[in-house]
Each structure stands twice: as C-alpha cells, then as structure tokens.
C-alpha cells in the first residue's frame, strides 16, 4: 500500500524526494543538512539526572530512614513497595534489622541513634553501605560481601550503615530463614518443571520467549541475577537478541536437562509462567523491577484476586491455600479465566510508574463528577462541529438527515468526515483536560485493508510501511511555553509524536493477523486492550525525554473490519509536559472519547466494505506545520538550502 513515485519522475528525482526532510520546520530542505541540531539533550537528561538528584537529596536527609524514604520512592516518583519488592533477600533483611524498615510501629529514630552511638564509641561490629544503582535499585552492603562499588554500577558514593553485634545476630537468623525459603522455592519449582516433561518444558520456554519478544521492556530479578530484554543489559530475547540466540537466558535452556538448570533459572521460569497464566503477556510488566520469587508473585496474584472479587461482588475466586507452585498455578489460571468477566463489570486499567517502568493493574471507580463534566464539555464541542446528535459521548450518532456516507465524504477542511471526527475529538480533549498535546492514530486506507482481508493477504499487510498509518496531534494554544516560546519547535514536536504513533500502529497491526511465517517474522507487539495512566514517563524512552512526555493517558480501542477484530487499531493519548498527573476520572472520560473515534472508524470501515474508496490524506508533516503555526508550508524551512526535484 506504500505510495510509489509517479511514473513520469526519473529514478534520480524519486530518490531526491526521499532525501528531503519531513520535519515541519525544514520541509523542502535536504535531510541532515542542518549545521547543528535544533535542540541538544543534556548528558544527564532523563533517568541519569533524576537519579543524581535523588542521591543528593538522600545524602542531605536527617537520618537513615529519611534517606531510605527518598531512595525507595525516588523522591516521590514511585511507590516504596516497588523498590522493596526488588530488594535481594539479604538486603531486605539488613534494612529491616539495621534501619527498622517494615516494622509495624512508627519509627522513632531510636535505631539510628543506637547505631550512631555505637559507631561513635567504636563499638560498631560492621560498617555497611547503602547505595543506589544506575538502574534505580536500592542496594545494601551486608557482611561477607565486598563494597558496593565492586558489586554494582552506582550513581555516586555510598551512605554508611553502622551495625551492632545485635544487628549481626539478628541478620544471621533472618538470612538463614531466607536461604531456606529460597531453597524450598527452588525445589518446588523444579518438581513442577519435572512434571512438565522435556517437551512440556521446551513448549513453555517457547511461549516465554515469544512473550519476551512481543512485550515492552521488562527487568526482573532473582537475587543478583537480572533477566531483561531492555537495552544494553539484555539477556532475554527482545530487540537485540533474536529467538534462539545462545545468549538468551530462555533459549539457552531449550533441550537442556533440568538437573543442569540453575535454581535461579528454575524459579524465574515458573514465575513468568504464573504471570502469563493470570493475564497474558502484559502481566509480566507488573513485576518490573521486582524479585521474581514465589512470595512476590503470590502477593501480586493475591492482590489481583481481591481486586477481581471486588469487581465481581463476591468471593468468586478462592485464595491459594498455600504458596506452593501448584496452588499458585491454580490461582493464576482462575484469574485468567475470570478476567474477561471482570473487564465487563469494571474498567480495568494500568497505572505506570515510568521511572522504574513498573505497571499495576487496577479497577477504576464508576464514572464520577469529574468524568461526567468532561464528557459533557467534549460532547458539546463535538455537537457544535460535527453533524451529530446525542447527550453524551456514548450516545453520539449522526444527526437526522445526515448523509449516511458522510464519514467517507469531504467535510469542512478535511477530505473525509472521519478525519474531521479525529481532529475535532483530539482538539476538544486537549482543551478540556488542560493537556499540552493530544493525539489519535489509525490506518490511512481502510479500503486497502478491506481488499487485503478479502484476499486473505496477511503477508501483504505485514509489508505496509509506517507512512501507511497516520496520527493527528493537536497541541494546546500555549504549548510553546515548554519549548522556549518557539512555535516551530511545537510543530516539530507534534510531528515527532505523530511519526512515533504511526510506528505504534504499524507495530501492533500484525498482532491481530493469523500466525503465518511472515507475520511471526515481522517485528510486532501484542496489541494493547486496556487504558493506562503513566507518571514520570520522561525518564528512559529517548523520544519521551526529548519531547517532555511526563504525564500521560493512553486509551486503546479495537476496530472491527469485515468481522475481524483489530485490537489496539487506534488509540488516544493525552499528555502534560509538566504540572500534575492525570487522574482516574480523567482517564475514564478520555476512554469514552477514544471509544467514539473507534466507533466512527468501524463505521467508516463498513463504508469501505460497501465500496467507498475514501482515504485519510491529512495529518502529514505539512498538515502539522500549517495547523500548529497557522502559516503556509512555504514558510517552513525558509532560508535553508533546498533540494531541487525535477
């Protein structure tokens, strides 16, 4: 479906067009001809800068507990329990004993005073350390272990922890208990894996490998062992390691006798299997940054069980009678079986803590006052701009007398009514939610999709390019305040977001197709099906760091074409570069707006099935320049060298 060059253009001319910049402020100029980048990212931008500031603040804290509060929450950016779940068993024991962490009684500072007095009197039995790694983990130097700088890549130095003789005695008992729990978990995991047999284990490894390949980045731990598909440290199939790569911790176990598996690997395999059985591949990210112990996975499943039972209004899902693997597997399968019913009763969504890429599944409260007010405001805006009737977003439908083909026919400044729907809904949401940018994506040619589906041309769909998709981005009227007052920078940022969202549409569509060789060989993720709210997402993703994508709502929806359901076919994203995070009620309203666009897209697809050949032609780089700056395309790239095209 990708557009080809007109026949009267020479190959040289066609190639010249490909070398033109598509950045709105440089339209018509030679790509890569700028003397310097428009914006240069600071070396410590994003996560490195955050960690450095967190460490400085922890160093200024009044005592150890205050410093830990800063470190465990990354100065208020993540819940402390996320970091606590990532502590090695020895580190967790040390902080309970030396710092009183996790004690039920309110902290009084007595432990800190005792440790300080012991150190001052020379009675310290051991001088430990507290540190923060460059991956954001809190680590502790415990007896018999080398200095933290020899074990980890630290953000900076260390804070000292003085241990008394009593601390050492208590630690020895707790560590022995933790080692027994680990040994029991490893033995239990091995017994379960043994019952699967060689073929069952290999099938399980194949499933886990595909899960790692088809999901967003994750970082899981078993004591010191890290299992991740994220960037340079990856040791699991992902963007760098292909399935079957000898360095992949999953692929390397295929065909290997169970007796040769390490205890860490055995527990890890069982832990991921539990997560997948409870909710599919997406559940893995809910363990991000955690120790993947049976205890921690069991707690996650139990928390989910309570959420689901609350949504179902009864104790429909029984608790696991023990923390044994068989009982946890039964609980995970029950959660997976009841999840569709739960999703039909309440709005499930995920809360994302971007600093540690950790996700938590939640059940939203009912539509409340804030969501209703937003619904009313956006509905009124749409009724004034489009030929619609209805008292709420759910009730919107074509007004009496409206041309039934209007979604496929020109409307206002747009080539199709569908384009007008997308733009008006996005613009109204930007204003109503006081957002800095709002966007929605989709496929440019629904007729092409209809033709491909009728021909069952699955392989052909996988060959479509990123430009076969679109994304409409509408910034707020004062978004330039985040970009030094430059309106052209706002246009460039809007286009950068649009391009990335086009990639997301491309990335998800293959996940809805039959599993042919071409589909399986094509890079794609499992399409999203529930919305999310993200906090502090401007930490890791380079595009998020560069474009200040801090607080977001994402609302994906399915679209039906020729009876086939395409999950994640479109979504709406709302973002703030600064200020306050979005709320659950705001997410609920956005999900309704996104649902309206999805219904309109399904209706446009039905028109394409009837033979209408309308396509989306708006929302390219030129459109974003005009809509953001209010100036003609000719004003873009003024004064810069242009490439002449015959």
């Amino acid at each position: 479906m990708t557009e080809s060059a007109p026949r009267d253009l020479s190959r040289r001319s066609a190639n010249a067009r490909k070398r033109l910049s598509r950045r709105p402020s440089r339209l018509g100029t030679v790509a890569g001809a700028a003397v310097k980048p428009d914006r240069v990212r600071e070396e410590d931008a994003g996560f490195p800068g955050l960690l450095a500031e967190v460490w400085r603040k922890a160093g200024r804290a009044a005592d150890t507990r205050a410093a830990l509060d800063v470190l465990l929450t990354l100065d208020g950016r993540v819940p402390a329990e996320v970091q606590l779940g990532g502590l090695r068993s020895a580190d967790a024991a040390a902080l309970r004993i030396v710092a009183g962490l996790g004690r039920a009684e309110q902290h009084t500072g007595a432990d800190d005073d005792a440790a300080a007095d012991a150190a001052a009197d020379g009675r310290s039995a051991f001088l430990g350390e507290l540190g923060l790694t460059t991956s954001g983990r809190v680590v502790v130097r415990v007896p018999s272990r080398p200095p933290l700088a020899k074990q980890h890549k630290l953000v900076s130095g260390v804070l000292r922890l003085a241990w008394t003789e009593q601390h050492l005695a208590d630690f020895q008992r707790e560590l022995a208990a933790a080692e027994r729990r680990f040994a029991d978990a490893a033995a239990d995991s091995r017994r379960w894996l043994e019952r699967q047999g060689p073929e069952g284990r290999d099938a399980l490894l194949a499933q886990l490998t595909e899960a790692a390949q088809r999901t967003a980045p994750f970082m899981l731990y078993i004591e010191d062992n890290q299992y991740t598909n994220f960037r340079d440290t990856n040791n699991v199939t992902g963007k760098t390691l292909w399935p079957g790569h000898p360095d992949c911790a999953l692929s390397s176990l295929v065909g290997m006798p169970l007796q040769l598996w390490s205890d860490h690997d055995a527990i890890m395999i069982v832990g991921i299997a539990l997560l997948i059985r409870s909710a599919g591949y997406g559940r893995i990210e809910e363990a991000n940054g955690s120790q993947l112990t049976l205890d921690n996975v069991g707690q996650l499943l139990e928390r989910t069980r309570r959420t689901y039972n609350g949504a179902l209004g009864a104790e429909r899902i029984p608790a696991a009678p023990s923390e044994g693997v068989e009982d946890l597997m039964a609980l995970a399968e029950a959660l997976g079986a009841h999840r569709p019913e739960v999703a039909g009763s309440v709005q499930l969504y995920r809360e994302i803590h971007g600093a540690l890429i950790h996700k938590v599944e939640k059940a939203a409260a009912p539509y409340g006052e804030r969501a209703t007010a937003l619904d009313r405001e956006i509905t009124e805006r749409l009724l004034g701009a489009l030929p619609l009737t209805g008292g709420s977003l759910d009730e919107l439908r074509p007004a009496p007398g409206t041309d039934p083909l209007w979604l496929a026919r020109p409307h206002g400044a747009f080539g199709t009514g569908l384009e007008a729907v997308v733009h008006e809904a996005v613009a109204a949401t930007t204003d109503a939610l006081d957002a800095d940018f709002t966007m929605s994506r989709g496929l440019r040619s629904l007729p092409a999709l209809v033709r491909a589906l009728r021909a069952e041309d699955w392989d052909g769909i996988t060959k479509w390019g990123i430009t076969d998709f679109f994304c409409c981005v509408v910034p707020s009227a004062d978004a330039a305040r985040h970009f030094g007052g430059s309106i052209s920078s706002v246009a460039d940022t809007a286009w950068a977001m649009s391009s990335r969202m086009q990639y997301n549409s491309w990335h998800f569509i293959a996940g809805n197709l039959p599993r042919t060789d071409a589909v399986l060989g094509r890079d794609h993720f499992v399409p999203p099906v529930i919305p999310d709210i993200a906090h502090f997402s401007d930490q890791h993703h380079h595009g998020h760091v560069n474009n200040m994508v801090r607080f977001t709502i994402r609302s994906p929806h399915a679209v039906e074409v020729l009876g086939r359901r395409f999950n994640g076919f479109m979504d709406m994203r709302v973002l703030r570069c600064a200020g306050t995070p979005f709320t659950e009620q705001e997410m609920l309203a956005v999900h309704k707006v996104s649902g309206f666009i999805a219904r309109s897209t399904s209706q446009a697809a039905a028109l394409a099935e009837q033979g209408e050949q309308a396509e989306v032609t708006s929302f390219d780089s030129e459109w974003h320049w005009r809509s953001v700056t209010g100036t003609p395309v000719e004003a873009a790239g003024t004064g810069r060298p242009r490439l002449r095209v015959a």
Side-chain angles (χ1 to χ4, degrees):
M1 191 172 70
T2 303
E3 219 175 281
S4 59
R7 293 190 178 186
D8 60 345
L9 292 179
S10 66
R11 179 178 298 178
R12 178 179 298 177
S13 178
N15 288 335
R17 286 181 178 273
K18 294 178 182 178
R19 294 198 296 272
L20 292 177
S21 175
R22 290 193 299 152
R23 180 179 294 194
S25 64
R26 294 180 181 167
L27 285 174
T29 65
V30 181
V35 176
K36 61 180 180 179
D38 293 339
R39 282 182 286 155
V40 179
R41 192 177 69 180
E42 299 292 336
E43 288 187 5
D44 64 348
F47 203 48
L50 167 64
L51 294 181
E53 178 55 35
V54 166
W55 183 254
R56 284 192 293 269
K57 187 166 183 178
R60 297 192 296 267
D63 55 33
T64 300
R65 282 298 294 270
L68 273 171
D69 287 343
V70 174
L71 294 174
L72 291 172
T73 66
L74 295 183
D75 196 20
R77 289 170 176 83
V78 297
E81 55 264 28
V82 177
Q83 286 273 39
L84 290 172
L87 292 172
R88 299 174 298 187
S89 56
D91 293 12
L95 292 181
R96 283 194 299 270
I97 292 164
V98 181
L101 193 65
R103 293 181 181 173
E105 66 272 15
Q106 186 175 1
H107 176 63
T108 62
D111 289 326
D112 288 320
D113 293 341
D117 291 343
D121 295 344
R123 292 183 287 107
S124 174
F126 172 71
L127 194 59
E129 300 171 341
L130 180 65
L132 183 66
T133 72
T134 54
S135 63
R137 295 181 73 204
V138 174
V139 289
V140 184
R141 183 189 178 190
V142 298
S144 80
R145 297 299 299 268
L148 291 178
K150 302 290 186 182
Q151 304 179 55
H152 306 279
K153 189 174 181 180
L154 301 176
V155 171
S156 186
V158 297
L159 300 177
R160 299 292 179 178
L161 293 177
W163 295 51
T164 65
E165 291 183 358
Q166 185 60 52
H167 288 154
L168 293 176
D170 293 342
F171 176 74
Q172 191 171 7
R173 284 193 298 273
E174 286 220 23
L175 188 59
E179 289 173 345
R180 287 194 296 272
R181 287 196 301 273
F182 182 87
D184 290 344
D188 194 9
S189 297
R190 287 182 179 279
R191 284 192 294 270
W192 185 85
L193 289 166
E194 181 66 40
R195 287 192 290 274
Q196 309 312 304
E199 292 185 0
R201 288 193 295 275
D202 284 353
L204 178 61
L205 290 168
Q207 181 192 40
L208 270 55
T209 299
E210 183 173 26
Q213 185 183 16
R214 305 301 184 199
T215 58
F218 61 79
M219 291 169 287
L220 310 172
Y221 299 92
I222 302 290
E223 293 298 334
D224 285 318
N225 291 22
Q226 182 187 64
Y227 301 91
T228 180
N229 59 357
F230 189 45
R231 290 189 182 165
D232 298 337
T233 56
N234 64 79
N235 61 348
V236 175
T237 291
K239 292 293 186 183
T240 303
L241 304 183
W242 63 86
H245 195 290
D247 294 345
C248 172
L250 301 172
S251 300
S252 63
L253 296 176
V254 174
M256 183 180 293
L258 181 59
Q259 292 79 4
L260 297 180
W261 291 25
S262 72
D263 287 347
H264 298 79
D265 288 346
I267 295 174
M268 178 268 294
I269 294 298
V270 170
I272 297 180
L274 284 166
L275 296 173
I276 292 175
R277 292 190 181 196
S278 72
Y281 297 167
R283 186 78 84 195
I284 300 174
E285 297 171 82
E286 295 180 38
N288 254 349
S290 300
Q291 290 283 333
L292 203 64
T293 62
L294 295 185
D295 288 345
N296 283 347
V297 174
Q299 290 173 16
L300 187 157
L301 297 179
E302 172 60 18
R303 183 174 65 245
T304 304
R305 184 189 74 87
R306 293 177 182 177
T307 298
Y308 285 11
N309 281 340
L312 296 171
E315 287 292 304
R316 298 276 298 282
I317 307 173
S322 76
E323 292 183 346
V325 173
E326 288 288 358
D327 287 336
L328 291 179
M329 284 290 175
L331 173 57
E333 290 169 358
L335 291 172
H338 283 83
R339 193 167 186 262
E341 184 182 359
V342 173
S345 304
V346 297
Q347 180 58 63
L348 292 176
Y349 73 99
R350 286 194 171 97
E351 186 176 62
I352 303 174
H353 302 286
L356 294 178
I357 326 179
H358 185 88
K359 301 185 179 183
V360 181
E361 186 179 69
K362 293 188 172 184
Y367 224 55
E369 184 177 341
R370 171 64 172 159
T372 301
L374 289 169
D375 190 313
R376 186 182 307 113
E377 179 180 347
I378 296 171
T379 296
E380 290 176 357
R381 172 88 169 259
L382 294 175
L383 290 175
L386 301 169
L388 301 170
T389 186
S392 69
L393 290 166
D394 277 344
E395 297 170 355
L396 287 176
R397 63 188 184 279
T402 300
D403 181 354
L405 303 178
W406 83 278
L407 286 170
R409 299 293 167 83
H411 184 87
F414 294 94
T416 65
L418 178 60
E419 291 165 88
V421 164
V422 172
H423 176 262
E424 294 298 338
V426 167
T429 303
T430 297
D431 293 341
L433 272 79
D434 192 25
D436 291 310
F437 295 86
T438 303
M439 61 206 76
S440 186
R441 58 178 177 80
L443 179 68
R444 288 198 174 276
S445 180
L446 290 169
L449 179 57
V450 168
R451 291 192 294 271
L453 293 179
R454 283 177 172 154
E456 297 188 351
D457 186 12
W458 319 119
D459 295 1
I461 295 175
T462 67
K463 294 182 175 66
W464 290 350
I466 292 173
T467 56
D468 292 318
F469 301 87
F470 73 84
C471 180
C472 168
V473 182
V474 177
S476 66
D478 61 347
R481 73 188 188 279
H482 298 297
F483 301 91
S486 170
I487 194 68
S488 65
S489 291
V490 175
D492 285 347
T493 299
W495 172 244
M497 293 174 180
S498 177
S499 296
R500 175 64 193 191
M501 293 303 102
Q502 289 175 215
Y503 167 80
N504 283 358
S505 285
W506 173 89
H507 207 206
F508 291 138
I509 194 170
N512 292 291
L513 302 178
R515 293 166 62 86
T516 66
D517 289 343
V519 171
L520 292 175
R522 179 12 179 100
D523 177 30
H524 68 270
F525 277 178
V526 173
V529 294
I530 62 173
D532 55 57
I533 303 174
H535 309 297
F536 300 102
S537 286
D538 54 342
Q539 300 300 313
H540 299 283
H541 189 295
H542 294 316
H544 289 191
V545 175
N546 290 337
N547 298 306
M548 292 177 278
V549 181
R550 175 160 292 184
F551 303 117
T552 70
I553 295 171
R554 178 180 68 163
S555 169
H557 272 279
V559 168
E560 186 170 301
V561 185
L562 276 178
R564 177 175 288 273
R565 181 183 176 88
F566 283 83
N567 287 327
F569 189 88
M570 57 77 58
D571 70 25
M572 171 170 273
R573 298 196 186 211
V574 189
L575 81 89
R576 291 175 183 149
C577 299
T580 58
F582 290 106
T583 66
E584 183 179 275
Q585 287 290 300
E586 289 171 329
M587 178 273 295
L588 289 174
V590 169
H591 202 49
K592 295 285 189 182
V593 184
S594 183
F596 163 64
I597 299 175
R599 291 196 306 276
S600 299
T601 304
S602 291
Q603 292 162 11
L607 295 177
E609 294 171 22
Q610 297 168 22
E612 291 296 319
Q613 294 302 306
E615 300 186 355
V616 173
T617 57
S618 300
F619 315 135
D620 58 6
S621 58
E622 295 184 7
W623 182 91
H624 282 90
W625 174 266
R626 289 193 305 269
S627 66
V628 173
T629 68
T631 61
V633 174
E634 290 72 18
T638 302
R640 296 190 176 95
R642 291 177 175 270
L643 187 65
R644 183 176 180 181
V645 179

